[in-house]
Amino acid sequence: GIDAALNSGPVDYFFSGDQYIRVTRGDAGPGTVDAGYPAPISNWGWKNFGTNGIKAALFSGVDFTDAAQAPATLASNSNYVMSDSGKNLTNVEVTVDFTQDMVVAKNGPPQAGASSVSGFTVQLNCFSPTKEADAWQQYVIGFDGGSLYGQINNWKDVIPFKALINQVYGLTSTPSGKVPIGYKLRIVLQNDSKDNVSGVVFEVRNDDGKVIGSHTQTLTSIGGVSSADIAPIVAYQVVVVGPGNSESATFSSGAGTIIMQGSQAVTPNSGEPSDSEVTWGTAETANSTYTRLLSTAGPYFAQSFGIDKTVTAVPTTPRKLLHPLPAPGRIPVAA
């Protein structure tokens, strides 16, 4: 028998006793039971809760009759752009909660002339208003195969393109060459009285909810960065992609939830904003996929993500300009 069932984006969960299975499904048909299942409910990290079974479950996805206009490809480096009709966004916070082990099977190739790097990144890519020196702002938590790091990579809109900031901060090591199920990666933007992004908090929590790595950075305390080099943001996009140097990440396992919130109600949009200084996108890619979001404006969105194991060539979405994230290089040891 089946005690309860739960839809969660591209997968379904079925509970029976103290076990559960995850089913990857298409638009029709029974779907496929994923490898590694049945598995104990204790994998969800709820301590003793659920060990005797779950008798009811709750749908927490999207009513597709009211879904927002999605990008042509809702995957890889193409996800919704969140904005509020050109208004400055403040206190933007993104948390990625992994409901499966995140495992990279392979990376590459890098951009011409660059060295290959390993792992993947969660990128919070932000669009500044027009006429700002800090035209495009990237706040990233990356995984290099053995550790997690935070990275700030902000750009001027000039030719040749110049990075205003490229700083990397070690956060914590991870076990067994993966980001484990139950881990949470959190990026919090801080703002000054003019709505400029003045600082960022990078945080890693383990499956017990304990903070195991964090770093808080004020932008103007970085050498060479002045108050003229910081700016507000009018839109942002969150993607799970390759590690840097335009590389792809092909995941063999991975899924979770992207939680986006802030002080203002935002609306999901299908493309880069027209009211920003630039309409760039990131050059890194992956076989990641994202679920659709509601078209209703709100201060909080939860979006499921997974991987497409059928993708052999990671897609790159055509854009006006794709910017590679510089590889992190030698990552400092976390204090």
Side-chain angles (χ1 to χ4, degrees):
I2 295 172
D3 298 329
L6 169 68
N7 166 245
S8 183
V11 296
D12 293 316
Y13 295 94
F14 296 89
F15 301 90
S16 180
D18 64 353
Q19 302 284 303
Y20 76 102
I21 62 172
R22 190 184 72 224
V23 176
T24 298
R25 57 188 173 79
D27 292 333
T32 303
V33 178
D34 291 340
Y37 297 89
I41 292 173
S42 59
N43 278 2
W44 289 60
W46 293 337
K47 305 298 184 182
N48 293 329
F49 181 82
T51 55
N52 294 322
I54 293 175
K55 304 302 181 185
L58 174 68
F59 171 74
S60 61
V62 171
D63 179 355
F64 291 99
T65 61
D66 191 27
Q69 176 66 40
T73 304
L74 195 55
S76 186
N77 59 5
S78 177
N79 199 359
Y80 290 102
V81 174
M82 315 299 285
S83 66
D84 182 21
S85 302
K87 298 176 183 177
N88 293 343
L89 306 181
T90 57
N91 300 314
V92 170
E93 177 179 331
V94 171
T95 301
V96 176
D97 184 0
F98 295 103
T99 57
Q100 289 182 29
D101 290 342
M102 209 71 188
V103 181
V104 177
K106 64 178 180 179
N107 288 114
Q111 67 194 70
S115 60
S116 181
V117 289
S118 61
F120 71 93
T121 53
V122 173
Q123 299 186 8
L124 169 56
N125 296 327
C126 303
F127 302 86
S128 304
T130 57
K131 300 181 180 180
E132 291 287 348
D134 191 358
W136 197 56
Q137 308 180 41
Q138 287 186 286
Y139 303 95
V140 175
I141 292 183
F143 174 64
D144 67 359
S147 62
L148 288 157
Y149 59 89
Q151 186 170 0
I152 306 171
N153 183 222
N154 293 2
W155 292 84
K156 285 187 174 183
D157 183 18
V158 295
I159 297 176
F161 296 111
K162 180 182 178 182
L164 270 171
I165 305 172
N166 183 31
Q167 296 288 316
V168 179
Y169 310 95
L171 298 175
T172 187
S173 60
T174 61
S176 306
K178 64 185 178 183
V179 179
I181 182 174
Y183 269 46
K184 294 177 176 62
L185 308 182
R186 184 168 171 255
I187 304 172
V188 182
L189 302 186
Q190 300 172 329
N191 301 92
D192 63 17
S193 60
K194 296 180 180 179
D195 295 342
N196 296 312
V197 177
S198 57
V200 58
V201 179
F202 301 111
E203 183 181 90
V204 180
R205 292 179 180 264
N206 65 10
D207 55 356
D208 288 328
K210 179 182 177 182
V211 177
I212 58 172
S214 66
H215 182 83
T216 300
Q217 185 62 51
T218 301
L219 300 192
T220 53
S221 68
I222 298 171
V225 178
S226 71
S227 58
D229 297 322
I230 62 176
I233 63 171
V234 292
Y236 67 87
Q237 182 185 60
V238 182
V239 291
V240 181
V241 289
N245 287 349
S246 301
E247 284 199 65
S248 66
T250 300
F251 296 104
S252 58
S253 169
T257 304
I258 301 169
I259 299 169
M260 298 168 279
Q261 55 192 318
S263 297
Q264 297 82 15
V266 294
T267 302
N269 299 280
S270 60
E272 286 81 3
S274 59
D275 50 9
S276 59
E277 176 65 14
V278 297
T279 56
W280 296 347
T282 189
E284 285 72 51
T285 58
N287 62 332
S288 49
T289 62
Y290 314 105
T291 56
R292 300 186 73 179
L293 295 174
L294 290 172
S295 60
T296 306
Y300 176 97
F301 284 86
Q303 181 185 41
S304 297
F305 72 93
I307 62 172
D308 184 353
K309 294 183 179 180
T310 68
V311 173
T312 55
V314 177
T316 296
T317 302
R319 297 240 177 115
K320 180 180 178 181
L321 181 67
L322 295 175
H323 252 293
L325 176 76
R330 184 178 181 276
I331 300 169
V333 177

